[in-house]
């Protein structure tokens, strides 16, 4: 079975989400999107379908923010970081996140 922590979080990420989804009035607010309940079993067996990304309005960066990395670390972004090949800079799937969560 799964560690007790995963079972407790199943309550939050699955049971509680399913309970909230039954409150139809909550999801009629403009801009509010229904969440998707996470099920550990379906994530592990590969049958969990990841919902499409939501289209949120772009976040405006503060005017004083700079995109120049040389001011903060002395060098521009490395080639490996730019193409996402570093292990700690890759996008994780839902399964990868679950595996990291269970491993901790």
């Amino acid at each position: 079975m799964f560690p007790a922590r995963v079972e407790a979080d199943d309550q939050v990420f699955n049971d509680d989400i399913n309970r909230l989804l039954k409150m139809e009035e909550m999801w009629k607010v403009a801009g509010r999107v229904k969440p998707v309940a996470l099920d550990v079993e379906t994530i592990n067996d590969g049958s969990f379908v990841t919902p499409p990304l939501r289209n949120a309005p772009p976040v405006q960066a503060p005017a004083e923010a700079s995109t120049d990395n040389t001011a903060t670390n002395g060098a521009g972004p490395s080639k490996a970081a730019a193409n996402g090949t570093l292990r700690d800079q890759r996008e994780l799937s839902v399964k990868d996140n679950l595996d990291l969560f269970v491993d901790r």
Side-chain angles (χ1 to χ4, degrees):
M1 195 61 185
F2 299 104
R5 186 176 78 206
V6 173
E7 290 178 18
D9 286 326
D10 186 52
Q11 171 73 31
V12 173
F13 296 114
N14 189 339
D15 300 340
D16 287 351
I17 297 296
N18 285 323
R19 181 181 51 79
L20 290 171
L21 287 171
K22 293 177 184 175
M23 300 177 190
E24 290 297 324
E25 290 297 316
M26 180 179 279
W27 310 111
K28 292 181 181 178
V29 175
R32 190 172 285 177
V33 179
K34 289 183 178 182
V36 175
L38 301 178
D39 179 44
V40 173
E41 295 292 336
T42 59
I43 293 170
N44 278 325
D45 69 19
S47 63
F48 180 79
V49 178
T50 305
L53 293 176
R54 298 176 178 135
N55 292 328
V59 176
Q60 295 292 334
E64 66 274 359
S66 171
T67 58
D68 181 12
N69 290 337
T70 59
T72 57
N73 63 10
S78 70
K79 191 175 208 178
N83 67 15
T85 58
L86 294 178
R87 183 172 183 238
D88 65 340
Q89 294 183 358
R90 66 184 174 92
E91 186 174 334
L92 298 177
S93 68
V94 174
K95 172 75 167 105
D96 293 336
N97 277 294
L98 177 65
D99 291 343
L100 282 173
F101 180 74
V102 171
D103 189 43
R104 299 273 171 192

